[in-house]
Amino acid sequence: MPEEHSPTIMAVDELQAIIQRCQILEEADFKGEDFNLFQVAGQKCLEDGYAAQLLEVIQNEKNKVIIKNMGWNLISPLVRCIFMYKQEDDKREHCLRILDQLAQLCNPKELFLGLLEQIEQTSGEQVCQTVMLLLQPLQTVLLKLQNKKAYSVGLSLAMIMNQLTPLPVPYTKQQIEEDKLGLCQCCNAVVDFAKPFVNEVVKNMEKSSEYNDMELKEELIKFCMRSLKYPLLTAQLEQLEGIEEHPFRHFATEIIDILWHIGELIPLVFVHHKGKSPHWENQEFSDIERKNSADSLASLSYLVFVQHFGVECFPVVFSPSYLLLCNMAHIEMLLKRTEESVLSKGLDLFESCLLRMEDNSLLHHYLEFRDFINVPQDLVKIMTLCPMEHMRKKSLNILQLLIDKFDTEGKYTLFRCLLKTSNHAGVEGYIIKNIKDQIHLALTKEYDSIWFTGHHLISLLDLVLSLPEGAETDLLQNSDRIMASLNLLRYLVIKDCESDNQTGVWTTLGKIEQNFLKPLRVGLNMSKAHYEAEIKNKKENRKEAQSSNTVCSVTVSGEKMPAMTTGMQLQVLHSALFTFDLIESVLARVEELIEVKTKAVMDENS
């Protein structure tokens, strides 16, 4: 016998010796030492490549009782060896058959704990591989359990999701196709793992309409809620060209199907609006669900109302305004997030809800709900602060869509709110342009709009035709708002005759001149003088300097600009002067129009 073979043969012989000794013992007489010896010998057989011999031992009917009690100890070395061998290696196939045999023969409770421990201990790139390897034996064991089955299923699903959650979710088409860590494949394998337990709940519900055993159902709902948050909240769920079956779309479909079949889809979609959670037997879980389910419920609404998963299950009885109301809390939560994948879902959900509605159909009463005030302000933050241009543009489009959907009083109230809260000249200018459009409609329609004429409009103009800090307002920083205000005033003076005075602008003209036109004229003169002096100083300094490439800093609108040459600074200063000239030209035109119209009326009266 060659010497190098002796250690392996010794390992097989040791295993056979332990087996023979245990065969004559009663099950109750097995000692801790027997378990340890069996584990060491079995592990050595696996590591030395003698999985075939170990498989024969396990398949031997005489060893059934031994394997039932001791086999679970082999899970850890077995998993290591499976990953060690290549896919086509016969030894790997023997190890897989051993795993299958252990699932059939071992004590379910002991093997369940062994499998769960193995999943818990895995990390990094092997997480998905380990989970997919052990799902089938874990499912086999769980189906055999009699006591605490629901708890064990819930523990298994929670453990698996805990291990998957730290993994990055593939987002681009390339990442999804590569599925480097196996997450896409693993998620769908986990759903297949859960299906027998879903079927069990459904069968029990069909047997009795008063199905009382809620434990297993609750565990499945927990799993679905976790899946909605991860990976579905951050996953790319749009159809991708070249991918026949999008793995995350398939996963989403399966999660929605589970919720539908166990009767929880519609209650969960509308749970937030009702202000209460579904009925849970476990009060502790009910408290946790209320606290942590916002992400999951928002993800669910996105799947249903944007991607239309499961939408065929919903009765067509809900008005578009009710659906918007139900979704506003979800939209608000999503718009407060900064991740592109989540933020984009919030914008898509908001847009989808608004597109269902007819223009001018959203009643102003909805602005009494906190969400309807907060969400437009969130849109403004995205429009002004988000680093992604396409997100900023989309937010602006959706804000306009929201404005279009409100009735006249709703538009009026929303305009007042945004003028007071946006703190951004560009946004304020945009709102003022919208106010001008509404005044135009009020003046040209056959019926009067009380909200954009008369005393209501005058109240709004008090906000619009004013300078935040009088003559000392930073005109450059507020140029968008000022230009929009001047254009609105010019429109009012041209469109509304003093004799008609539908808008009330002629009644309040003195106030407008005092609070807006005069301070603006003074501010323009001060600003132009300041910038012209600055330009003169820069030109003189440049002559004195050795080179025009001297680098220094400049502050514009209270913000320090990046280091610039003197030439670049002069360019910025000239640009500011051009803006002041533009404002001044419109201001002069407004003053001229007021003077002409006022003189004409005086001539008529005299």
Side-chain angles (χ1 to χ4, degrees):
M1 180 185 301
E3 188 175 344
E4 61 269 21
H5 289 180
S6 58
T8 299
I9 291 183
M10 280 178 61
V12 174
D13 288 345
E14 283 175 12
L15 180 64
Q16 290 289 3
I18 294 162
I19 291 293
Q20 288 171 9
R21 185 160 72 86
C22 291
Q23 279 177 344
I24 60 174
L25 295 174
E26 293 294 326
E27 190 173 345
D29 295 331
F30 292 155
K31 297 178 182 177
E33 182 185 357
D34 299 322
F35 285 85
N36 291 335
L37 291 171
F38 176 83
Q39 182 182 9
V40 170
Q43 180 174 332
K44 186 133 184 61
C45 287
L46 287 168
E47 290 172 351
D48 290 346
Y50 275 73
Q53 282 83 344
L54 180 59
L55 179 61
E56 287 178 14
V57 170
I58 290 170
Q59 288 176 324
N60 191 328
E61 188 70 22
K62 295 179 182 177
N63 302 329
K64 193 173 181 179
V65 175
I66 300 169
I67 301 305
K68 175 188 172 186
N69 287 275
M70 302 184 187
W72 65 273
N73 278 308
L74 298 176
I75 291 296
S76 181
L78 192 59
V79 169
R80 284 201 303 272
C81 288
I82 289 171
F83 289 138
M84 184 176 68
Y85 296 126
K86 292 182 179 178
Q87 196 77 26
E88 64 279 1
D89 198 320
D90 288 343
K91 294 188 181 78
R92 188 176 192 277
E93 182 58 34
H94 290 140
C95 289
L96 289 171
R97 289 175 63 189
I98 290 171
L99 183 60
D100 182 59
Q101 286 293 308
L102 293 178
Q104 302 297 332
L105 300 173
C106 287
N107 179 305
K109 182 182 176 182
E110 300 293 348
L111 186 59
F112 167 69
L113 295 173
L115 291 169
L116 224 54
E117 183 181 25
Q118 196 60 39
I119 291 172
E120 184 179 22
Q121 289 175 352
T122 188
S123 62
E125 295 184 3
Q126 280 199 332
V127 168
C128 292
Q129 296 177 52
T130 304
V131 169
M132 285 191 286
L133 174 67
L134 300 181
L135 280 176
Q136 187 58 57
L138 185 59
Q139 185 189 71
T140 302
V141 169
L142 286 168
L143 290 170
K144 288 182 178 182
L145 287 177
Q146 300 301 319
N147 298 323
K148 294 189 176 180
K149 182 176 183 178
Y151 170 79
S152 301
V153 169
L155 188 61
S156 302
L157 290 169
M159 180 69 71
I160 291 167
M161 295 307 291
N162 282 342
Q163 293 297 86
L164 295 181
T165 300
L167 301 179
V169 178
Y171 190 73
T172 65
K173 179 185 175 184
Q174 183 181 351
Q175 289 171 343
I176 291 170
E177 286 178 327
E178 286 178 358
D179 194 18
K180 190 175 179 182
L181 298 178
L183 181 66
C184 300
Q185 187 181 353
C186 189
C187 285
N188 286 296
V190 175
V191 170
D192 291 338
F193 164 83
K195 282 182 180 177
F197 311 109
V198 175
N199 294 336
E200 184 176 328
V201 170
V202 171
K203 283 180 183 176
N204 287 330
M205 288 170 65
E206 288 171 352
K207 286 178 186 174
S208 170
S209 59
E210 297 178 0
Y211 175 54
N212 292 320
D213 185 11
M214 294 291 292
E215 288 185 10
L216 184 55
K217 182 177 177 180
E218 284 183 10
E219 297 299 342
L220 292 171
I221 296 172
K222 287 184 195 177
F223 164 65
C224 289
M225 294 291 278
R226 289 202 63 168
S227 300
L228 287 166
K229 183 173 181 178
Y230 176 93
L232 292 176
L233 185 60
T234 52
Q236 164 64 267
L237 291 166
E238 298 294 338
Q239 286 282 13
L240 296 173
E241 189 178 344
I243 298 183
E244 189 172 333
E245 186 172 42
H246 191 310
F248 289 127
R249 287 183 67 85
H250 181 264
F251 182 63
T253 303
E254 296 287 355
I255 294 297
I256 295 290
D257 282 350
I258 291 174
L259 290 172
W260 170 250
H261 284 114
I262 63 177
E264 291 297 327
L265 180 59
I266 292 177
L268 280 173
V269 168
F270 294 106
V271 65
H272 202 96
H273 174 58
K274 289 187 287 189
K276 60 180 183 178
S277 298
H279 174 68
W280 307 108
E281 290 293 316
N282 186 319
Q283 184 58 41
E284 182 184 357
F285 173 58
S286 180
D287 295 338
I288 295 171
E289 190 277 336
R290 272 194 293 269
K291 184 179 178 183
N292 298 327
S293 65
D295 286 353
S296 302
L297 293 174
S299 177
L300 177 60
S301 280
Y302 171 81
L303 293 177
V304 172
F305 295 110
V306 178
Q307 296 297 337
H308 304 124
F309 291 114
V311 76
E312 67 281 356
C313 304
F314 286 78
V316 190
V317 295
F318 303 112
S319 70
S321 55
Y322 176 76
L323 292 178
L324 176 63
L325 178 61
C326 291
N327 280 304
M328 282 303 270
H330 305 317
I331 292 165
E332 182 183 3
M333 188 281 297
L334 293 170
L335 294 188
K336 285 187 177 358
R337 299 284 287 270
T338 55
E339 311 95 309
E340 180 182 0
S341 57
V342 182
L343 179 56
S344 64
K345 287 181 174 65
L347 292 173
D348 288 343
L349 179 57
F350 198 11
E351 183 179 47
S352 175
C353 290
L354 291 173
L355 288 173
R356 296 168 191 269
M357 307 183 71
E358 293 183 6
D359 287 355
N360 307 305
S361 66
L362 187 59
L363 300 177
H364 60 275
H365 304 298
Y366 282 92
L367 286 167
E368 295 172 11
F369 293 100
R370 179 182 54 83
D371 301 330
F372 278 83
I373 294 295
N374 292 347
V375 167
Q377 293 176 4
D378 291 332
L379 281 178
V380 167
K381 288 177 184 174
I382 298 166
M383 286 158 48
T384 56
L385 300 174
C386 181
M388 293 166 280
E389 184 182 4
H390 66 285
M391 291 287 193
R392 295 198 301 271
K393 287 181 177 178
K394 184 159 188 174
S395 298
L396 178 61
N397 293 336
I398 293 173
L399 178 61
Q400 186 60 58
L401 199 58
L402 177 64
I403 291 169
D404 294 342
K405 300 308 172 186
F406 268 112
D407 62 15
T408 311
E409 186 178 347
K411 288 180 174 71
Y412 178 90
T413 307
L414 184 60
F415 292 157
R416 289 189 69 91
C417 172
L418 291 176
L419 283 173
K420 289 179 177 179
T421 61
S422 67
N423 297 315
H424 189 279
V427 175
E428 290 164 359
Y430 187 80
I431 296 302
I432 293 167
K433 180 184 176 299
N434 266 277
I435 292 171
K436 176 175 168 287
D437 293 341
Q438 291 303 313
I439 295 170
H440 179 73
L441 287 173
L443 294 176
T444 54
K445 281 184 177 179
E446 292 181 2
Y447 60 89
D448 291 332
S449 170
I450 61 169
W451 293 99
F452 290 96
T453 56
H455 70 277
H456 287 299
L457 178 58
I458 291 171
S459 174
L460 193 57
L461 291 178
D462 286 342
L463 286 174
V464 173
L465 302 176
S466 64
L467 293 176
E469 295 168 35
E472 297 189 2
T473 300
D474 188 330
L475 302 186
L476 196 60
Q477 190 169 344
N478 287 276
S479 59
D480 287 344
R481 176 195 170 117
I482 292 167
M483 285 297 291
S485 299
L486 285 170
N487 282 325
L488 171 58
L489 183 54
R490 179 174 61 177
Y491 170 83
L492 291 172
V493 172
I494 293 171
K495 192 74 178 176
D496 191 14
C497 297
E498 189 172 353
S499 55
D500 296 336
N501 198 23
Q502 287 178 269
T503 61
V505 69
W506 294 101
T507 308
T508 190
L509 192 57
K511 189 177 181 182
I512 292 170
E513 287 180 335
Q514 190 65 35
N515 293 342
F516 182 57
L517 297 179
K518 286 181 180 178
L520 179 56
R521 172 62 69 187
V522 173
L524 275 171
N525 292 335
M526 289 168 55
S527 297
K528 287 181 71 175
H530 172 74
Y531 275 79
E532 283 167 355
E534 195 70 25
I535 288 171
K536 185 179 178 182
N537 288 336
K538 294 294 175 191
K539 286 180 177 178
E540 288 175 357
N541 291 340
R542 184 163 64 173
K543 288 176 184 177
E544 295 172 7
Q546 291 181 348
S547 167
S548 62
N549 291 325
T550 303
V551 176
C552 51
S553 65
V554 67
T555 301
V556 176
S557 299
E559 292 186 14
K560 192 173 182 180
M561 302 296 288
M564 296 188 292
T565 63
T566 305
M568 292 165 69
Q569 292 175 58
L570 283 168
Q571 203 172 352
V572 170
L573 293 169
H574 278 297
S575 176
L577 271 183
F578 177 78
T579 300
F580 298 144
D581 288 340
L582 198 61
I583 294 173
E584 189 173 35
S585 68
V586 181
L587 173 60
R589 177 60 178 151
V590 169
E591 289 172 334
E592 180 188 345
L593 285 167
I594 291 172
E595 185 180 348
V596 169
K597 286 213 167 189
T598 305
K599 188 173 184 298
V601 171
M602 288 173 66
D603 291 344
E604 283 179 18
N605 293 337
S606 63

